[in-house]
Amino acid sequence: MHTLMTLAGSTDPADLAANPTYWGGGLIWYVIEAFFLMKVFQKADLPAWYAWVPFVNLWGIVRLAGRGVGTFILLFVPLVNIVAWIIVALRMGRAFGKEGVFSFFLLAWFHIIGVVVIALDDSRYAPRGLTPAEDPRFR
């Protein structure tokens, strides 16, 4: 950690947070993830703008996984959120026809990679075999 702060030009955490490179990198990361998440939402007939709004994008992921408000709330409870996120990742992967190993590693732990793969491949969104238009969760 000390090395990272030194590379940024200071050893003081307050200086690191004030560094434009620190915030710029986070913004670039957010834009990349939101862009590919937008593509995933479009595959599931969810509004594309969900991907760009904080917390709404998380709600969209929870809905893709077929979960509800309870799971969404659990994602904000420390320690419990780890288990809830793994469940969401596994169910989201299953809805796109992905195996459990893919979902566990690439959607739960390396989320942006899993989202990019789903956005770019030819997988289709099919929760419980229903098309999004037939699925009552999206009404």
Side-chain angles (χ1 to χ4, degrees):
M1 177 124 165
H2 178 69
T3 306
L4 291 175
M5 286 188 267
T6 304
L7 290 174
S10 175
T11 57
D12 184 10
D15 290 342
L16 179 64
N19 187 338
T21 305
Y22 178 81
W23 291 106
L27 181 63
I28 290 168
W29 185 272
Y30 185 83
V31 168
I32 291 169
E33 183 168 0
F35 174 78
F36 287 105
L37 194 56
M38 177 182 71
K39 298 295 185 189
V40 171
F41 286 168
Q42 287 173 338
K43 279 186 171 187
D45 293 334
L46 286 175
W49 65 266
Y50 276 21
W52 297 96
V53 181
F55 301 107
V56 176
N57 56 16
L58 184 59
W59 173 248
I61 292 169
V62 169
R63 298 307 292 161
L64 286 177
R67 306 304 293 172
V69 176
T71 303
F72 181 73
I73 292 169
L74 289 177
L75 289 172
F76 297 97
V77 178
L79 297 178
V80 174
N81 62 355
I82 296 169
V83 175
W85 182 249
I86 292 171
I87 291 169
V88 166
L90 291 171
R91 298 208 44 184
M92 179 182 166
R94 187 181 328 152
F96 282 99
K98 302 298 181 191
E99 298 292 326
V101 173
F102 173 91
S103 300
F104 182 79
F105 288 107
L106 295 183
L107 286 175
W109 298 111
F110 302 103
H111 181 71
I112 193 166
I113 297 170
V115 167
V116 168
V117 169
I118 290 175
L120 297 178
D121 71 4
D122 60 350
S123 64
R124 296 175 43 103
Y125 180 71
R128 298 177 288 158
L130 299 175
T131 66
E134 299 168 333
D135 194 344
R137 294 174 295 146
F138 293 104
R139 291 191 185 138

